Amino acid sequence: MIRTIHITLADRERLRKLISREREFGTVKNKDYLKDLEQELNRANIEESKMIPSDIITMNSKVLLRDLESGEESIYTLVYPDEANLFEDRISVLAPIGTAILGFREGDVIDWKVPDGIVKLKVEKILYQPEAAGEYEL
């Protein structure tokens, strides 16, 4: 099933620049991630930052995800590649899980492709969204 995500106009523009930069100069070994992200952006519903619903995962959002099989919960912040740090649970939008969660809402279930198959993750809660906090320039 093809999903439609919601992203801000500002995020879309920054992400398109990131994709172009990564294609030309980047160190991303698997260019499929860039293609996946680009496809997500092309299908996305675009919203002004001030109008995006507060239950949508935008860039720099902090989210609580639950693995529906194991019940394990994880908290991640979705960031640009230069801000990624696994020790701080800051995941890059270019990582497969980063691309997978962008634009989803609270309550959505994400099918995340991993080498062993598919992991189903539920977006339990958005703990922080910059736009909901009035921070439009992160």
Side-chain angles (χ1 to χ4, degrees):
M1 179 176 102
I2 293 180
R3 66 188 174 105
T4 300
I5 64 169
H6 299 266
I7 63 171
T8 67
L9 180 62
D11 283 349
R12 182 184 68 178
E13 296 313 307
R14 285 185 218 137
L15 290 168
R16 282 191 168 157
K17 286 178 186 171
L18 172 66
I19 290 168
S20 293
R21 209 170 40 244
E22 283 296 320
R23 279 207 172 109
E24 194 166 343
F25 307 110
T27 58
V28 175
K29 305 246 186 307
N30 187 343
K31 301 291 186 197
D32 287 344
Y33 297 143
L34 296 175
K35 187 177 77 181
D36 291 347
L37 179 56
E38 191 169 46
Q39 287 174 345
E40 294 294 333
L41 296 178
N42 289 339
R43 299 196 271 274
N45 285 335
I46 308 303
E47 315 261 350
E48 288 294 331
S49 295
K50 291 180 178 163
M51 302 303 291
I52 194 111
S54 62
D55 65 344
I56 301 279
I57 300 171
T58 62
M59 291 304 300
N60 296 297
S61 291
K62 187 175 199 173
V63 299
L64 173 64
L65 303 175
R66 183 168 50 91
D67 182 320
L68 292 180
E69 189 174 310
S70 70
E72 182 181 334
E73 292 186 337
S74 302
I75 295 174
Y76 296 110
T77 301
L78 181 63
V79 298
Y80 292 94
D82 58 336
E83 300 166 353
N85 183 327
L86 287 178
F87 296 111
E88 296 176 5
D89 297 318
R90 297 171 63 81
I91 56 169
S92 169
V93 69
L94 294 183
I97 185 64
T99 300
I101 68 173
L102 177 67
F104 269 90
R105 341 175 79 106
E106 281 184 10
D108 283 348
V109 174
I110 300 158
D111 291 331
W112 178 33
K113 287 185 251 176
V114 295
D116 294 339
I118 293 183
V119 174
K120 290 193 175 292
L121 300 172
K122 183 175 182 186
V123 180
E124 288 291 341
K125 185 154 184 62
I126 297 186
L127 303 170
Y128 170 78
Q129 184 210 61
E131 294 79 9
E135 298 177 15
Y136 305 111
E137 299 303 320
L138 288 183

